Amino acid sequence: MTDIKFQKIKADNDIKEVIKSAFGVDLDIDGGWGYTQEDALIINDASIPLAQLQHTLCSIRAHLEMSMTLPKEERYGAINVNEIKREEKEFYIRKYDIITFEVSGMLEEVYKKFIDEYKAGQDSDSFDIKDHFDRRKKETHGRQEAFWFDVTNIKGERKNDIE
């Protein structure tokens, strides 16, 4: 997996409205895109388990960074987000979850070719599935990113509720 960097999403607009417009979900959130403590995404209320909501928000950020804000030829597909580390911190009266995610994907055009190849060859005895997935792995790019969530307004225990 090749390491990649992306432009941070600018916090020019209301994050809640950006997510509602782009993804059709209405979340009780404020703040920024969670790149730093000062830019933390504020979760006011979680209608689903907190860790699931945080994973969803990271996935939304990754799709905006890797696909939706890029020119067509630079867009990524097969975007995956996996939590690899979780920390809880308190600064003054604010409570934060700082979650490190591994985010990966491959260029959309490359991904489309792999999908077409798989569909065409999956029923053939000569199709080398191991080679296919080895080549896909080589074309996958990724990075590790921290995401700051301000969870001060969440009632009850903060814990990783995805087992």
Side-chain angles (χ1 to χ4, degrees):
M1 183 163 61
T2 309
D3 194 33
I4 51 172
K5 297 240 183 260
F6 286 93
Q7 293 286 326
K8 293 179 179 178
I9 303 166
K10 293 183 175 126
D12 299 358
N13 301 313
D14 179 356
I15 187 171
K16 180 177 181 168
E17 290 305 313
V18 170
I19 291 172
K20 186 176 182 178
S21 174
F23 297 93
V25 292
D26 193 10
L27 302 172
D28 192 359
I29 58 173
D30 289 302
W33 288 104
Y35 293 107
T36 64
Q37 178 183 349
E38 296 76 26
D39 183 40
L41 188 148
I42 302 165
I43 299 175
N44 295 312
D45 189 34
S47 56
I48 60 175
L50 181 58
Q52 184 179 346
L53 177 59
Q54 291 167 326
H55 184 273
T56 299
L57 289 163
C58 183
S59 183
I60 286 171
R61 187 175 90 177
H63 278 82
L64 286 166
E65 292 170 336
M66 297 174 72
S67 182
M68 298 173 79
T69 59
L70 295 175
K72 185 173 175 50
E73 64 277 1
E74 295 176 25
R75 291 181 183 163
Y76 281 74
I79 298 169
N80 287 304
V81 175
N82 293 300
E83 181 178 323
I84 57 174
K85 181 180 169 188
R86 174 179 290 262
E87 299 175 72
E88 294 179 5
K89 301 254 183 188
E90 291 190 30
F91 296 99
Y92 303 103
I93 61 169
R94 308 303 301 172
K95 296 177 184 173
Y96 299 91
D97 286 344
I98 304 108
I99 305 172
T100 302
F101 290 95
E102 182 175 74
V103 182
S104 64
M106 72 175 69
L107 288 170
E108 270 186 1
E109 288 301 314
V110 173
Y111 181 59
K112 183 182 179 321
K113 289 177 184 173
F114 277 116
I115 294 299
D116 292 345
E117 176 185 290
Y118 183 81
K119 286 178 182 177
Q122 69 181 348
D123 293 328
S124 170
D125 289 338
S126 63
F127 183 65
D128 187 341
I129 196 160
K130 182 186 178 324
D131 174 68
H132 173 83
F133 282 103
D134 286 346
R135 288 184 291 114
R136 279 177 67 155
K137 188 175 183 177
K138 285 180 186 171
E139 291 294 333
T140 299
H141 305 273
R143 69 195 196 278
Q144 290 185 4
E145 292 276 343
F147 202 132
W148 284 75
F149 295 97
D150 181 330
V151 294
T152 307
N153 300 335
I154 301 294
K155 308 278 187 283
E157 276 189 57
R158 294 179 295 139
K159 62 180 181 180
N160 185 355
D161 43 19
I162 296 177
E163 298 299 326

